[in-house]
mmCIF file of all heavy atoms in Angstrom:
data_model
loop_
_atom_site.group_PDB
_atom_site.id
_atom_site.type_symbol
_atom_site.label_atom_id
_atom_site.label_comp_id
_atom_site.label_asym_id
_atom_site.label_seq_id
_atom_site.Cartn_x
_atom_site.Cartn_y
_atom_site.Cartn_z
ATOM 1 N N HIS A 51 5.017 -4.077 32.000
ATOM 2 C CA HIS A 51 5.228 -4.216 33.444
ATOM 3 C C HIS A 51 6.599 -3.692 33.886
ATOM 4 O O HIS A 51 6.966 -3.831 35.045
ATOM 5 C CB HIS A 51 5.103 -5.691 33.843
ATOM 6 C CG HIS A 51 3.805 -6.318 33.458
ATOM 7 N ND1 HIS A 51 2.589 -5.868 33.926
ATOM 8 C CD2 HIS A 51 3.511 -7.347 32.610
ATOM 9 C CE1 HIS A 51 1.614 -6.605 33.412
ATOM 10 N NE2 HIS A 51 2.144 -7.504 32.597
ATOM 11 N N ALA A 52 7.337 -3.086 32.943
ATOM 12 C CA ALA A 52 8.679 -2.603 33.287
ATOM 13 C C ALA A 52 8.599 -1.471 34.306
ATOM 14 O O ALA A 52 7.742 -0.590 34.213
ATOM 15 C CB ALA A 52 9.403 -2.128 32.032
ATOM 16 N N LYS A 53 9.491 -1.501 35.284
ATOM 17 C CA LYS A 53 9.493 -0.491 36.341
ATOM 18 C C LYS A 53 10.301 0.752 35.960
ATOM 19 O O LYS A 53 10.226 1.763 36.632
ATOM 20 C CB LYS A 53 10.065 -1.100 37.631
ATOM 21 C CG LYS A 53 9.244 -2.265 38.171
ATOM 22 C CD LYS A 53 9.877 -2.841 39.430
ATOM 23 C CE LYS A 53 9.061 -4.011 39.960
ATOM 24 N NZ LYS A 53 9.665 -4.621 41.171
ATOM 25 N N PHE A 54 11.075 0.657 34.887
ATOM 26 C CA PHE A 54 11.955 1.754 34.523
ATOM 27 C C PHE A 54 11.385 2.497 33.323
ATOM 28 O O PHE A 54 11.205 1.924 32.246
ATOM 29 C CB PHE A 54 13.361 1.227 34.206
ATOM 30 C CG PHE A 54 13.954 0.405 35.316
ATOM 31 C CD1 PHE A 54 13.968 -0.975 35.243
ATOM 32 C CD2 PHE A 54 14.469 1.009 36.454
ATOM 33 C CE1 PHE A 54 14.487 -1.746 36.267
ATOM 34 C CE2 PHE A 54 14.993 0.262 37.480
ATOM 35 C CZ PHE A 54 15.010 -1.126 37.400
ATOM 36 N N SER A 55 11.104 3.780 33.484
ATOM 37 C CA SER A 55 10.499 4.566 32.411
ATOM 38 C C SER A 55 11.449 4.770 31.245
ATOM 39 O O SER A 55 11.026 5.164 30.158
ATOM 40 C CB SER A 55 10.056 5.930 32.952
ATOM 41 O OG SER A 55 11.164 6.647 33.479
ATOM 42 N N ALA A 56 12.767 4.513 31.468
ATOM 43 C CA ALA A 56 13.735 4.695 30.386
ATOM 44 C C ALA A 56 13.730 3.526 29.402
ATOM 45 O O ALA A 56 14.361 3.597 28.354
ATOM 46 C CB ALA A 56 15.138 4.879 30.957
ATOM 47 N N ILE A 57 13.020 2.438 29.738
ATOM 48 C CA ILE A 57 12.934 1.283 28.836
ATOM 49 C C ILE A 57 11.637 1.374 28.052
ATOM 50 O O ILE A 57 10.552 1.461 28.636
ATOM 51 C CB ILE A 57 12.989 -0.038 29.621
ATOM 52 C CG1 ILE A 57 14.317 -0.145 30.367
ATOM 53 C CG2 ILE A 57 12.810 -1.225 28.687
ATOM 54 C CD1 ILE A 57 14.433 -1.386 31.218
ATOM 55 N N ARG A 58 11.751 1.342 26.738
ATOM 56 C CA ARG A 58 10.567 1.537 25.898
ATOM 57 C C ARG A 58 10.476 0.453 24.816
ATOM 58 O O ARG A 58 11.480 -0.089 24.384
ATOM 59 C CB ARG A 58 10.605 2.911 25.233
ATOM 60 C CG ARG A 58 10.541 4.056 26.251
ATOM 61 C CD ARG A 58 10.395 5.397 25.583
ATOM 62 N NE ARG A 58 10.200 6.452 26.554
ATOM 63 C CZ ARG A 58 9.947 7.720 26.229
ATOM 64 N NH1 ARG A 58 9.863 8.069 24.957
ATOM 65 N NH2 ARG A 58 9.767 8.628 27.164
ATOM 66 N N PHE A 59 9.242 0.207 24.397
ATOM 67 C CA PHE A 59 8.968 -0.746 23.321
ATOM 68 C C PHE A 59 9.249 -0.088 21.977
ATOM 69 O O PHE A 59 8.767 1.010 21.693
ATOM 70 C CB PHE A 59 7.506 -1.182 23.396
ATOM 71 C CG PHE A 59 7.058 -2.084 22.283
ATOM 72 C CD1 PHE A 59 7.528 -3.386 22.184
ATOM 73 C CD2 PHE A 59 6.152 -1.634 21.335
ATOM 74 C CE1 PHE A 59 7.107 -4.229 21.177
ATOM 75 C CE2 PHE A 59 5.713 -2.467 20.325
ATOM 76 C CZ PHE A 59 6.196 -3.770 20.235
ATOM 77 N N SER A 60 10.056 -0.737 21.155
ATOM 78 C CA SER A 60 10.344 -0.214 19.818
ATOM 79 C C SER A 60 9.200 -0.627 18.893
ATOM 80 O O SER A 60 9.103 -1.772 18.478
ATOM 81 C CB SER A 60 11.678 -0.778 19.306
ATOM 82 O OG SER A 60 11.957 -0.256 18.025
ATOM 83 N N ASP A 61 8.327 0.332 18.609
ATOM 84 C CA ASP A 61 7.117 0.046 17.839
ATOM 85 C C ASP A 61 7.426 -0.129 16.359
ATOM 86 O O ASP A 61 8.563 0.047 15.917
ATOM 87 C CB ASP A 61 6.102 1.169 18.037
ATOM 88 C CG ASP A 61 4.667 0.646 18.032
ATOM 89 O OD1 ASP A 61 4.448 -0.423 17.437
ATOM 90 O OD2 ASP A 61 3.784 1.299 18.613
ATOM 91 N N HIS A 62 6.401 -0.445 15.571
ATOM 92 C CA HIS A 62 6.615 -0.714 14.151
ATOM 93 C C HIS A 62 5.404 -0.258 13.347
ATOM 94 O O HIS A 62 4.338 0.013 13.892
ATOM 95 C CB HIS A 62 6.861 -2.215 13.918
ATOM 96 C CG HIS A 62 5.787 -3.086 14.472
ATOM 97 N ND1 HIS A 62 5.860 -3.624 15.744
ATOM 98 C CD2 HIS A 62 4.599 -3.500 13.962
ATOM 99 C CE1 HIS A 62 4.785 -4.343 15.979
ATOM 100 N NE2 HIS A 62 3.993 -4.277 14.904
ATOM 101 N N VAL A 63 5.578 -0.199 12.068
ATOM 102 C CA VAL A 63 4.505 0.140 11.132
ATOM 103 C C VAL A 63 4.311 -1.060 10.218
ATOM 104 O O VAL A 63 5.275 -1.578 9.658
ATOM 105 C CB VAL A 63 4.878 1.388 10.302
ATOM 106 C CG1 VAL A 63 3.858 1.631 9.208
ATOM 107 C CG2 VAL A 63 4.994 2.613 11.203
ATOM 108 N N VAL A 64 3.065 -1.516 10.060
ATOM 109 C CA VAL A 64 2.770 -2.693 9.241
ATOM 110 C C VAL A 64 2.210 -2.250 7.888
ATOM 111 O O VAL A 64 1.297 -1.442 7.822
ATOM 112 C CB VAL A 64 1.760 -3.618 9.951
ATOM 113 C CG1 VAL A 64 1.424 -4.813 9.071
ATOM 114 C CG2 VAL A 64 2.319 -4.090 11.282
#
Side-chain angles (χ1 to χ4, degrees):
H51 304 299
K53 298 179 180 179
F54 305 102
S55 60
I57 298 177
R58 296 188 174 185
F59 176 69
S60 181
D61 214 336
H62 54 267
V63 172
V64 178

